[in-house]
Amino acid sequence: MPSTVTAASTGLAVLLLFVVYRVLRIGRRDPRLPPGPPTVPVLGNAHLIPTTGIGLKFQEWVQKYGPIYSLKVLDSTIVVISDPQIVGQLLDKKGAIYSDRPENAVAMHVTDGHHFSFEQQGPSWKLKRAIAVRHFSPQKLDTHHFRVQEAESVVFMNNLLEDPDRIFDYARLYPVSVACSLLYGHRARDLDSFWYKDFYHMMEKWGEVLEPGANPPIEEFPLCWYMPGLWRKRMDEVKKLRADLWTRARKIVDARRQKGDKRDCLIDEKLDELKESDNWPYPEFAFNNLFGELVEAGADTTANQVLTIIMALAKHPEVQRKAQAEIDRVCGPDKAPTFDDFEKLPYINCIIKEGLRWRPTARTALPHRVTKDDYYNGYLIPKGSTIFIAVWAMHQDEKLYADHVQFNPDRFLNHPKLANEYASSPEYEKRDNLHHYGYGAGRRICPGVHLAERNMWRITAKLLWAFNIYEPTDPATGKTIPLDENAYNSCILVSPLPFKVRVEPRSEKVLQAVKREKADALAFLSQYDN
Ligand code: HEM
């Protein structure tokens, strides 16, 4: 009997030791992985990941661990890349295995599993991507959608004339109005519009919820799902806000279509297709979500970059003067620049590129996931690893961008084409000034890039043609109040915190020209009103 008890207790002890051994191995870095911060048992590096500001933390680690490093979060692996050549070799060249998305339990819960940007690589993602790419192709934009963009940019200019103090809000109104017209057939007429107000209210909350590090590591440790806390409340609030927003948008569309009011926009095109075939592959909720998520992806991002440009211009009068000299030579005071002038106004493009380099709104792009074991330079990149492009770290790398803290559009003088023309090159060396990652990389690269580039170009060119932009002045002392170029929020998409600038028309002639264009623009846009 005692020997049976001894054998049983020895067996139990061995089992216990084995379990402890296995548990303690959780979070350990396999020596074949790229280097990274020291791990602790179980957590790995989870305790080091900040709940906010991950883009900056990635940069700190780049300086310590080099251009490719790894983080362990419990048993899963994150690989962070901050070298253009490595991004090119892995995400671009091996796109077939580097284009999945990691699971994001919170995003999936909020969207009921229907969100193009967070979806894994598969038929549903492919179909949605094809729809977006086709609708926002350069050809379609330049032969069709350009009218909406041109007219909305004229409205933007007139809004500034009438209420220059609200430049921050109008810069956000423009891209959401363009996106909603092209997708839903309804424009955001003003700052009280449902398409503006309810949208940005939801986006603010959605951005906070989505920031890497903002939620417990549910994917690695599913029991965290039951953890109470602010994260849960925030997540459920956004889920409701989002569902209400895009359901209401759909109801607005249905109500007008019932009255026979069909419009020139993507949702009408797809609803007509749906009527004709029984093969539409999405449930109703997913269908509604598709248009909403395209607005989500397209409006906030563009607004953040436009705001960055406005702030940078206010801080750099010398950049304004250089751009204005070019515009004046080409356009003069009576004719506003249009996108047809793109090739004649190369400096505008440089300003846009430098805005995306200097303050990229997506500091870590969106995470990719690798679907097979892979090796880079002898390092193992295990199947299932999450791959981040450390966009912020790359764009602020002194070796890639001399004097990187400076906003200096001249660094792009030799890159006169639009971003997509460089990004789509199979050679990483052909990227803008070698290394521009504002739109991500590989097969997941932003499909809205053509719309985004044209939106930013139009606003920047017209703004500089018509106005001088100054930092604000203190009314009591008349002294300049310097804008803080680091005052950004900390969400998945960073945006400048609200700021004011002073804008003044450059001449009476320009002022009259801006006003003259308004009536025609509004007449054209009236088809998207209400
Ligand atoms: C300046 C404006 C914009 C910036 C900086 C931007 C940036 C990005 C970035 C960094 C990604 C992630 C790429 C990756 O995973 O490697 C992305 C994805 C995406 N963007 Fe944009 N974007 C902008 C405008 C737009 C517009 C106007 C649209 C559409 C109307 C759009 C639609 C999307 C979609 C749907 C995705 C997800 C693609 C996928 O997962 O396959 N974006 N964007």
Side-chain angles (χ1 to χ4, degrees):
M1 185 71 169
S3 67
T4 323
V5 173
T6 316
S9 31
T10 311
L12 205 65
V14 170
L15 183 69
L16 208 67
L17 272 175
F18 178 71
V19 171
V20 171
Y21 169 77
R22 288 306 298 245
V23 169
L24 289 181
R25 283 185 69 84
I26 296 177
R28 265 177 54 152
R29 176 176 289 104
D30 182 324
R32 294 170 298 166
L33 291 178
T39 58
V40 297
V42 185
L43 290 178
N45 301 122
H47 60 302
L48 302 177
I49 295 185
T51 53
T52 188
I54 190 90
L56 303 182
K57 191 72 190 172
F58 279 175
Q59 182 189 27
E60 204 182 300
W61 281 325
V62 166
Q63 281 151 9
K64 260 191 168 158
Y65 302 105
I68 176 161
Y69 64 85
S70 66
L71 300 166
K72 290 296 297 180
V73 176
L74 293 104
D75 233 3
S76 68
T77 304
I78 296 174
V79 174
V80 182
I81 305 174
S82 66
D83 179 284
Q85 188 175 8
I86 309 177
V87 176
Q89 286 193 9
L90 303 185
L91 273 66
D92 290 337
K93 290 220 166 115
K94 294 188 189 170
I97 61 166
Y98 277 91
S99 303
D100 211 12
R101 290 274 192 233
E103 267 167 48
N104 183 330
V106 168
M108 286 296 111
H109 175 71
V110 169
T111 62
D112 280 342
H114 301 292
H115 202 290
F116 173 4
S117 308
F118 299 106
E119 252 173 66
Q120 292 170 16
Q121 220 179 352
S124 163
W125 167 72
K126 273 198 185 142
L127 178 61
K128 289 179 185 174
R129 201 165 162 104
I131 291 172
V133 166
R134 207 174 316 123
H135 194 62
F136 296 121
S137 70
Q139 201 264 345
K140 191 132 192 202
L141 285 161
D142 293 339
T143 57
H144 202 76
H145 301 329
F146 73 95
R147 293 183 193 90
V148 171
Q149 288 181 285
E150 277 299 334
E152 284 290 1
S153 56
V154 168
V155 171
F156 169 75
M157 301 294 287
N158 278 278
N159 283 340
L160 282 196
L161 278 184
E162 284 153 30
D163 195 356
D165 275 354
R166 303 207 72 170
I167 188 167
F168 193 91
D169 302 312
Y170 293 135
R172 284 154 48 99
L173 181 66
Y174 167 77
V176 80
S177 197
V178 169
C180 289
S181 300
L182 300 182
L183 290 159
Y184 281 102
H186 291 267
R187 64 185 289 255
R189 270 174 73 116
D190 54 39
L191 301 173
D192 288 323
S193 153
F194 155 74
W195 302 96
Y196 173 82
K197 225 173 166 172
D198 293 43
F199 170 74
Y200 277 112
H201 176 61
M202 188 280 288
M203 281 306 280
E204 210 175 291
K205 309 277 173 196
W206 195 195
E208 287 169 8
V209 163
L210 282 176
E211 200 190 0
N215 304 301
I218 300 153
E219 296 75 18
E220 290 80 18
F221 205 48
L223 279 178
C224 285
W225 185 251
Y226 302 100
M227 218 168 98
L230 177 66
W231 73 275
R232 214 166 213 301
K233 203 170 151 250
R234 274 195 326 198
M235 173 180 75
D236 288 331
E237 190 191 345
V238 170
K239 183 177 169 76
K240 181 165 179 343
L241 273 176
R242 209 179 158 277
D244 288 353
L245 181 75
W246 300 130
T247 306
R248 182 166 161 204
R250 173 63 192 276
K251 281 189 180 147
I252 293 173
V253 170
D254 284 347
R256 74 160 159 76
R257 281 174 62 91
Q258 270 160 19
K259 287 188 247 152
D261 180 1
K262 281 196 191 177
R263 296 190 181 174
D264 182 10
C265 61
L266 188 64
I267 195 166
D268 281 44
E269 194 183 308
K270 293 295 159 196
L271 284 168
D272 288 345
E273 253 175 48
L274 187 58
K275 257 169 87 188
E276 282 163 23
S277 83
D278 302 329
N279 291 335
W280 190 256
Y282 300 123
E284 181 87 353
F285 181 79
F287 180 87
N288 290 345
N289 243 6
L290 172 60
F291 307 94
E293 68 192 68
L294 284 170
V295 180
E296 288 170 20
D300 214 11
T301 43
T302 309
N304 296 345
Q305 291 304 148
V306 167
L307 287 165
T308 281
I309 291 170
I310 293 172
M311 183 207 275
L313 290 175
K315 293 196 78 67
H316 292 276
E318 76 288 356
V319 173
Q320 294 187 52
R321 298 300 88 80
K322 192 163 175 174
Q324 285 166 343
E326 189 179 81
I327 295 172
D328 292 349
R329 266 197 311 276
V330 174
C331 302
D334 295 318
K335 178 204 157 293
T338 64
F339 195 66
D340 291 340
D341 299 315
F342 177 83
E343 282 181 10
K344 288 180 246 151
L345 300 176
Y347 198 59
I348 302 298
N349 197 26
C350 297
I351 294 174
I352 288 155
K353 285 186 195 301
E354 178 64 346
L356 260 170
R357 196 285 304 170
W358 187 61
R359 295 289 182 269
T361 182
R363 286 183 175 171
T364 58
L366 287 177
H368 292 220
R369 177 165 71 174
V370 59
T371 52
K372 274 189 184 157
D373 277 358
D374 192 28
Y375 286 88
Y376 174 79
N377 214 11
Y379 293 132
L380 170 68
I381 303 179
K383 171 181 172 177
S385 303
T386 296
I387 314 290
F388 274 104
I389 311 174
V391 176
W392 173 257
M394 272 202 273
H395 287 193
Q396 302 295 318
D397 182 343
E398 190 64 25
K399 291 192 292 305
L400 303 180
Y401 294 102
D403 208 5
H404 68 88
V405 288
Q406 274 303 319
F407 178 82
N408 175 15
D410 285 17
R411 55 177 106 239
F412 291 104
L413 282 173
N414 294 326
H415 291 79
K417 297 185 207 162
L418 290 161
N420 55 286
E421 295 186 55
Y422 298 105
S424 58
S425 162
E427 304 308 322
Y428 83 93
E429 297 92 335
K430 304 245 168 78
R431 281 208 173 229
D432 311 30
N433 204 17
L434 306 190
H435 329 277
H436 206 300
Y437 290 91
Y439 295 107
R443 294 188 188 178
R444 287 278 184 166
I445 200 164
C446 176
V449 57
H450 310 291
L451 174 64
E453 293 268 284
R454 285 158 177 74
N455 269 337
M456 291 189 287
W457 195 95
R458 287 187 163 95
I459 290 294
T460 308
K462 286 196 203 294
L463 202 56
L464 283 161
W465 166 72
F467 295 102
N468 288 322
I469 305 162
Y470 305 95
E471 288 183 292
T473 42
D474 182 334
T477 63
K479 283 194 179 149
T480 300
I481 308 169
L483 292 173
D484 179 356
E485 58 187 36
N486 293 311
Y488 278 68
N489 68 7
S490 176
C491 288
I492 190 172
L493 295 172
V494 300
S495 154
L497 295 176
F499 63 83
K500 288 208 165 129
V501 289
R502 218 157 37 83
V503 290
E504 281 175 8
R506 292 180 62 213
S507 69
E508 184 56 31
K509 271 194 159 183
V510 161
L511 178 87
Q512 293 311 326
V514 172
K515 287 184 178 170
R516 258 198 320 273
E517 290 185 325
K518 183 177 173 184
D520 280 354
L522 286 179
F524 169 75
L525 291 171
S526 62
Q527 62 185 301
Y528 299 109
D529 278 341
N530 307 317

